[in-house]
Structure formats: structure tokens, C-alpha cells
Amino acid sequence: MPLKKSWVTSANDAHHPFPLNNLPYGVFSTGGGRARCGVAIGDMILDLQAAEEAGVVRLGTEPFFEMPFWNEFMEEGPAVWAALRDRLTTLLQDGAQDQKKVEPLLVPTKDAELHMPFMVSEYTDFYAGRHHATNVGTMFRGAENALPPNWLHIPIGYNGRASSVVVSGTEVRRPWGQVRGPDDETPRWAPCTRFDIELEMGAIVGTPSERPITVQEADDHIFGYVLLNDWSARDIQAWEYQPLGPFQSKATATSISPWIVTKAALEPFRCSTPAREVELLDHLEDCGPMLYDIDLSVSLRPDGGAEETLARTNYREMYYSAAQQLAHHTTSGCPMNAGDLLGSGTISGPNKNERGSLLELSWGGKDPITLASGATRSFIEDGDTLTLTGAARGDGYTIGFGECTGKVTPALADPYAR
Ligand code: MN
């Protein structure tokens, strides 16, 4: 499918993240005003609340876009999702009849502040990247036992905290926690010294479910995708994670990119999961291409320094798709809601410069990376800004996500000091 041409000319640049083919959904405000729903087109945001008030967009009888989040719309399901996308395409395409009516409803993105695009109802994070799990397992348990025995049979995960999910741009405070390193005779209370990123994609559930669903149904229920950085305190994690998994090490913050890129926009980029090493049980088997060819990168900018890319990878490196993860999530009868967020797990490629965490890039701190300035990094230092980007590359156009960025600020004074 080629570029769909828009009368918003900035959207027609082959490298612009928000062409008419994309139409990602967000929540924005201007001049400290009320937050409202919008759709990105080129360098502009179409104000959907205003579009609804002007009668240019109408979905049924009730207004949809009064609330500053997309949950109610997501809950409506695929027919309504398609109706809005069709309407927006008609309004914004080159030669649109209603161009004069729509022009006053556009806001320059540079004048807008972006907010959380949806209310996160629950958040689950998986561990479903083969190269990441192999790297981390090798570091912690040796190459022979790298993958846990369940890993090739189910996408393993843990229940995270919806309350900790923040939008790109939010600063992240270095946490304190209980740690016990190999040289510590007893546990210590200290600021985290091994603070890390995890480069992931987040899948957002649109259609609710209350029973076990198939992989195909799960794919139908997913509304869209965001970039996701699962900030991780490795020293806290190493001490706390057995046997129930990570807890406080993952509860400081999880950042997401501000625009929901819909599944519809990603359709041309579908690709299959890698070959199965062992056959999955029937209910988890692939039933079509359910991953996406999305180039991903992570960069680091030291305080006052220059930004540089640390790693590049691709979403197709995942072993399990989001649809398989969602299907597995429902097998117990676990209810899923609109706004449920599923983290893919860290996405690393097979090569060293394709690793999606500093833990892997510095091999647990044993092999620090050297920045262009000559400075080295094993883990994040105070003042570092970490940024994820993602792009699916089409025929003369790009589907971008907007960046997922966060600056790490120093730990506060001991919150328990007396
Ligand atoms: Mn993670």
C-alpha cells in the first residue's frame, strides 16, 4: 500500500511519523486548558472533541470524545474503530470536500502538551523475547540453564502496576530499595545503583473478555500498540525476584509513548513469529502472522551531552506475539478490560548492538559500554535521558509512534531517615 496523500502537506513526507496511513490517537491540551482526544496528522493534531461539536465527526448519538482518554471508544469494538478511521481518512485526504470545515479544528503539535492517551486499567509485563531471556538467563544461571523449563511452552509474565505507568516526558526518580549484592553479608537499604531500561512494545486491549479466548480472538481484541520502557532496578530485582518474580524493582515507573498506533495502521507490516523450537499446545498456536515489522531503537543523552544510539532491534524478534500473550492471559478465565496494557518483554536481537537493556549491553556491568564522549556506562546515571523510538517503513511513508523518553533524576534523601 503506498502513501495516502493528505491536504495537510507535512503528512506527505516519506519520513514523517504521522502520515494519513497512520492516524494515531492521543490526548492533548493547549495553553494549560482541558485535556481532550486528538489524532495526529503530520505536524498537526485534529481536535476530536471540537470535530464532534462541529458535527464533522459523529459516531452514534452520544458524544465520544468529551473524556480525556480513549477507553470508552476502545470498548466499542472493531466496527466503530473502522468507522472512525474511515471518516478521518475521508476528512483528511487530499481533495477532501470538508477541508475548509476541518482546517480550523487543527492545532499545531508544537503548541500542545501530550497526556496519557488512555486509562491503564491493568498492566501485565511478559518475558517473551528469546534473545533477552537467553542473555539474562545465561548471566544469572549459566548457558545450560538460560531458559526456564516453561519458557518455550507459555509466554511467562507478572502482574505489574497500572498506577506506575506514565506518559513519555515524565521524569523518573531513582528509587531506593533493599538490596543484597554478592559482596553483602546482609541486606542493605540504599538507592538503586543498577537502574536500567527495557525496550518493549505495549499492546492495548480494546474489546473486554470474561472467558478464555483463542489467539485469533485475542488478535481481534487488541486495539493498538505503544512503545514501552519498563524501568528496572536490577540490584533490587536480583534480591527480591525469587520465587514470585519482580516486585518493587519494576514499580517505580513504566513509560509509554503518547500516541496509540492502531492495529489497523500496522496491518501492512504483519509478520510471523520465528520458527517454534517445540510445538505449542493447540490453544497457543499461531494462526497467522501476528507480529509486526517495526524498527526499534534506544538512545541515551547524558545531562548536557549529545544523544547517541545504544541499540537497534525489531519487534519481529519476539518469540510470542501480543495475541498469544493475551490468549494465554485469559486461559484461567481472567477478565480483561479496555485499557489493559500488555508489555511484550524486552526486545533484543541476536547481535550485541541489538540488545534492549543496559544489563545485556554491559553484560551485567562486566563490560561497560563507551559513549562518544569517552564516558562509560554500565547502568543509568543521574541526568541521563533514555529515549525509545519505533518506525514501520512502508512504500513512501513511515508509521511512527512518537518518542518514549524519560530523564532519570537523583534519588531523594532517605525517605525513612529519622
Ligand atoms: Mn519488562
Side-chain angles (χ1 to χ4, degrees):
M1 188 197 294
L3 170 79
K4 294 182 199 166
K5 235 180 146 192
S6 172
W7 53 263
V8 181
T9 51
S10 57
N12 298 331
D13 183 308
H15 303 290
H16 200 291
F18 306 132
L20 186 56
N21 305 57
N22 193 348
L23 297 177
Y25 299 141
V27 168
F28 74 103
S29 62
T30 49
R34 216 158 70 89
R36 51 206 192 269
C37 289
V39 56
I41 177 75
D43 293 339
M44 310 294 275
I45 300 171
L46 171 59
D47 182 333
L48 281 174
Q49 194 192 352
E52 208 167 38
E53 279 167 10
V56 189
V57 169
R58 249 271 156 261
L59 298 170
T61 49
E62 298 293 318
F64 262 104
F65 301 114
E66 285 186 326
M67 297 294 186
F69 42 78
W70 281 83
N71 298 59
E72 281 180 28
F73 174 81
M74 294 196 287
E75 216 165 328
E76 289 296 315
V80 174
W81 305 346
L84 178 63
R85 186 169 170 83
D86 286 351
R87 182 63 185 149
L88 293 172
T89 302
T90 302
L91 290 172
L92 293 166
Q93 70 193 356
D94 202 24
Q97 268 185 357
D98 288 326
Q99 179 177 340
K100 285 279 166 291
K101 280 192 214 163
V102 177
E103 272 171 353
L105 309 172
L106 294 176
V107 175
T109 307
K110 64 175 172 51
D111 298 339
E113 186 185 346
L114 299 175
H115 305 274
M116 277 292 293
F118 64 106
M119 283 192 298
V120 181
S121 53
E122 313 246 10
Y123 165 48
T124 304
D125 194 38
F126 287 88
Y127 185 62
R130 179 73 194 261
H131 304 293
H132 172 73
T134 304
N135 286 338
V136 174
T138 302
M139 269 182 264
F140 288 2
R141 291 179 293 274
E144 295 299 298
N145 304 306
L147 289 183
N150 53 10
W151 202 93
L152 293 168
H153 301 277
I154 44 171
I156 59 176
Y158 63 93
N159 287 309
R161 293 287 303 174
S163 62
S164 70
V165 182
V166 297
V167 73
S168 172
T170 307
E171 291 189 342
V172 176
R173 179 75 62 188
R174 180 182 300 276
W176 284 71
Q178 187 178 122
V179 297
R180 185 180 183 179
D183 303 328
D184 293 324
E185 243 168 65
T186 56
R188 295 181 291 122
W189 171 245
C192 169
T193 58
R194 291 162 72 94
F195 203 47
D196 198 0
I197 47 156
E198 290 195 340
L199 166 56
E200 305 191 21
M201 296 287 299
I204 302 159
V205 174
T207 310
S209 59
E210 292 189 330
R211 58 171 173 86
I213 60 173
T214 65
V215 175
Q216 181 60 59
E217 286 173 317
D219 191 64
D220 295 341
H221 285 198
I222 293 170
F223 178 70
Y225 291 84
V226 288
L227 305 172
L228 185 149
N229 181 357
D230 176 26
W231 302 92
S232 298
R234 301 298 182 194
D235 40 4
I236 299 171
Q237 185 178 358
W239 171 231
E240 75 176 0
Y241 89 105
Q242 286 177 321
L244 289 184
F247 187 48
Q248 292 305 289
S249 54
K250 303 283 192 170
T252 298
T254 299
S255 300
I256 63 168
S257 51
W259 295 104
I260 304 172
V261 174
T262 62
K263 191 175 55 183
L266 292 171
E267 281 303 325
F269 307 97
R270 275 186 186 267
C271 57
S272 300
T273 49
R276 302 292 93 180
E277 192 154 317
V278 296
E279 219 175 304
L280 294 169
L281 294 185
D282 287 350
H283 70 285
L284 286 178
E285 243 180 58
D286 291 286
C287 55
M290 290 184 184
L291 282 180
Y292 299 92
D293 181 359
I294 301 169
D295 287 333
L296 300 166
S297 76
V298 55
S299 69
L300 184 150
R301 181 166 55 80
D303 212 3
E307 182 173 9
E308 61 184 278
T309 301
L310 299 183
R312 294 179 198 279
T313 180
N314 192 292
Y315 184 49
R316 66 172 176 247
E317 297 288 352
M318 297 304 303
Y319 192 78
Y320 294 101
S321 65
Q324 286 172 312
Q325 294 175 330
L326 175 54
H328 176 60
H329 209 315
T330 67
T331 49
S332 56
C334 177
M336 304 299 290
N337 298 302
D340 246 305
L341 176 64
L342 308 186
S344 59
T346 310
I347 307 164
S348 294
N351 300 309
K352 194 174 174 184
N353 58 357
E354 296 169 346
R355 294 173 181 167
S357 68
L358 284 163
L359 177 70
E360 294 163 271
L361 285 164
S362 73
W363 207 253
K366 290 197 175 81
D367 185 14
I369 54 173
T370 303
L371 304 178
S373 63
T376 59
R377 284 291 182 283
S378 291
F379 293 95
I380 299 169
E381 296 198 356
D382 291 342
D384 286 351
T385 299
L386 280 300
T387 303
L388 312 184
T389 62
R393 299 180 205 285
D395 176 13
Y397 71 97
T398 303
I399 300 288
F401 287 76
E403 58 185 22
C404 176
T405 190
K407 180 176 182 173
V408 173
T409 55
L412 296 171
D414 181 353
Y416 296 114
R418 281 179 290 177

